[in-house]
Amino acid sequence: MVQVWNPNGKYRVVSTKPMPGTRWINLLIEQDCRVEICTRKKTILSVEDIIALIGDKCDGVIGQLTEDWGETLFSALSRAGGKAFSNMAVGYNNVDVNAANKYGVAVGNTPGVLTETTAELAASLSLSAARRIVEADEFMRAGLYDGWLPNLFVGNLLKGQTVGVIGAGRIGSAYARMMVEGFKMNLIYYDLYQATRLEKFVTAYAEFLKANGEQPVTWKRAASMDEVLREADVISLHPILDKTTYHLVNKERLSIMKKEAILVNCSRGPVIDEVALVEHLKQNPMFRVGLDVFEDEPYMKPGLADLKNAVVVPHIASASKWTREGMATLAALNVLGKIKGYPVWSDPNRIEPFLNENVPPPAASPSIVNSKSLGLPVSRL
Ligand SMILES: NC(=O)C1=CN([C@@H]2O[C@H](COP(=O)(O)OP(=O)(O)OC[C@H]3O[C@@H](n4cnc5c(N)ncnc54)[C@H](O)[C@@H]3O)[C@@H](O)[C@H]2O)C=CC1
Ligand SMILES: O=C(O)C(=O)CO
């Protein structure tokens, strides 16, 4: 149930799951690591399962967003001599960073490499919901199509409508750009910070459209999230999950959205109150959702699976081959960097040098979220 690579390696690195590609394994082996990969069929490993994997001596662990990395696991890792953990994910709401700090364990994540892939899935869900693709597909397969009809699966036109983005960070901004440029939608966004590059992009695109005699697109930074919910026709959620974003979309907020709006969630399930959402979908058949994430993954709240106005996929937003291999590489290099005493890369938004397969990666950890708390040195590169 454990696959071992380079058994005589000096440092023991455990991966709680097999991960795509082989580059991440090779990079670890080249730096004298013994790599142990858990191959158990059980999808979600418990804290006890992971304690058993850590054992008595473990220098670092690569883990998954389904695992509960809190006090118990960080103390177990620390007892085994480990100082490094990396999630194979950009989101790390499954990690208690304070507990990691207490045991001096560096916590890595994998930003950037999944930005476009995740935004593309959000765009796919937006289109699937707007054009009722899943419903129509089911209809065809059921043999119900008996000829073209003026009223068959009529959906929403995106062009000229308003796309709303909540959390215009890396992924939210990439999604906004796709929807604005791809479908000539106007943008309204809400974030704690100004998305300057996104604003500049939309302004430049508007100029381009105007110069070509077309209606220019517009953008607005909303003063509140409610403003986005009231005004947008398609709304996509891209904030981190923390105390401030738990149930950000609840019963009251659903009620202020347009009756024919589309809501997409590729962030984390608990950002939406899913029970309230199921009720809202039942009451408003023209309201549609595209969901990649769920409040109690892997489960859906009762009733959701029966609703035709919901498109649901199993947390696959980052699932492209290039991205998943890149995530594995970044996670492995986060752990390796700490083990080898390398500094932390100065800009986690500029991770390309780590992904170039033709040259060795920089001697740094690409992204350590608690580097400041641990006082880790920063790379000058
Ligand atoms: N479904 C999936 O497979 C994936 C999900 N994700 C999720 O997407 C999240 C975002 O990823 P990135 O864009 O790379 O992170 P990011 O840090 O670049 O963007 C997050 C944005 O949310 C904003 N934000 C934080 N609190 C907010 C609030 N209360 N209201 C509005 N905005 C708020 C931040 O200011 C920031 O701009 C991750 O934390 C993760 O949970 C990421 C990748 C794949
Ligand atoms: O990276 C993340 O946060 C995910 O959800 C998986 O890609």
Side-chain angles (χ1 to χ4, degrees), residues 65 89-91 114 268 315 318 327:
L65 58 84
V90 65
L114 39 62
R268 284 288 182 268
H315 203 148
S318 67
M327 290 164 73

Side-chain angles (χ1 to χ4, degrees), residues 278-349:
V278 171
E279 199 45 42
H280 191 76
L281 286 164
K282 282 184 187 160
Q283 302 299 327
N284 298 276
M286 302 304 282
F287 185 95
R288 301 201 192 99
V289 283
L291 303 174
D292 179 53
V293 287
F294 304 88
E295 200 168 341
D296 310 317
E297 270 176 51
Y299 307 107
M300 285 187 277
K301 292 288 188 198
L304 185 58
D306 304 324
L307 292 166
K308 291 225 174 295
N309 46 346
V311 177
V312 289
V313 294
H315 203 148
I316 55 168
S318 67
S320 72
K321 183 173 180 290
W322 182 82
T323 287
R324 287 283 167 87
E325 290 186 6
M327 290 164 73
T329 297
L330 295 182
L333 291 176
N334 281 332
V335 168
L336 180 68
K338 183 67 172 63
I339 290 174
K340 301 280 288 185
Y342 295 159
V344 175
W345 193 237
S346 58
D347 183 0
N349 290 318

Side-chain angles (χ1 to χ4, degrees), residues 93 237 239-250 265 267-274 293-297 301 315:
N93 51 287
L237 306 172
I240 56 163
L241 171 63
D242 65 7
K243 281 189 203 114
T244 71
T245 60
Y246 176 80
H247 282 193
L248 200 62
V249 176
N250 56 19
N265 190 9
S267 61
R268 284 288 182 268
V271 172
I272 300 182
D273 176 346
E274 205 171 298
V293 287
F294 304 88
E295 200 168 341
D296 310 317
E297 270 176 51
K301 292 288 188 198
H315 203 148

Side-chain angles (χ1 to χ4, degrees), residues 53-83:
L53 285 172
I54 290 172
D56 298 336
K57 184 209 176 274
C58 179
D59 295 284
V61 178
I62 302 166
Q64 301 298 325
L65 58 84
T66 45
E67 298 156 8
D68 180 8
W69 278 83
E71 173 87 27
T72 314
L73 284 184
F74 286 118
S75 68
L77 181 56
S78 174
R79 271 198 309 278
K83 285 278 174 277

Side-chain angles (χ1 to χ4, degrees), residues 79-254:
R79 271 198 309 278
K83 285 278 174 277
F85 165 77
S86 183
N87 238 15
M88 184 211 171
V90 65
Y92 52 93
N93 51 287
N94 61 312
V95 181
D96 180 346
V97 180
N98 288 330
N101 290 342
K102 182 171 151 191
Y103 293 98
V105 177
V107 173
N109 73 339
T110 66
V113 66
L114 39 62
T115 298
E116 301 289 325
T117 306
T118 304
E120 284 180 15
L121 200 272
S124 310
L125 289 174
S126 306
L127 286 177
S128 304
R131 300 306 296 273
R132 307 173 61 183
I133 294 189
V134 174
E135 271 181 88
D137 177 281
E138 282 172 359
F139 177 86
M140 281 300 281
R141 289 172 201 273
L144 296 171
Y145 182 51
D146 57 4
W148 190 91
L149 279 173
N151 283 320
L152 193 60
F153 290 110
V154 173
N156 303 7
L157 172 70
L158 299 180
K159 181 168 185 252
Q161 291 208 322
T162 299
V163 62
V165 172
I166 300 193
R170 286 175 292 248
I171 298 168
S173 289
Y175 167 83
R177 186 176 40 68
M178 287 173 194
M179 302 309 282
V180 168
E181 186 178 7
F183 305 105
K184 297 181 180 152
M185 298 185 81
N186 298 313
L187 171 68
I188 179 167
Y189 78 91
Y190 176 71
D191 198 297
L192 310 177
Y193 303 97
Q194 187 174 8
T196 315
R197 278 174 63 186
L198 175 61
E199 292 177 2
K200 282 190 183 152
F201 171 82
V202 183
T203 304
Y205 186 50
E207 290 300 325
F208 168 83
L209 291 173
K210 214 155 74 185
N212 284 282
E214 287 192 60
Q215 177 77 22
V217 288
T218 62
W219 63 263
K220 177 159 94 173
R221 180 181 177 196
S224 70
M225 197 183 119
D226 289 3
E227 202 178 324
V228 177
L229 297 179
R230 257 188 226 104
E231 291 183 23
D233 302 288
V234 179
I235 292 146
S236 197
L237 306 172
H238 297 284
I240 56 163
L241 171 63
D242 65 7
K243 281 189 203 114
T244 71
T245 60
Y246 176 80
H247 282 193
L248 200 62
V249 176
N250 56 19
K251 185 170 186 265
E252 291 70 39
R253 288 202 158 125
L254 286 163

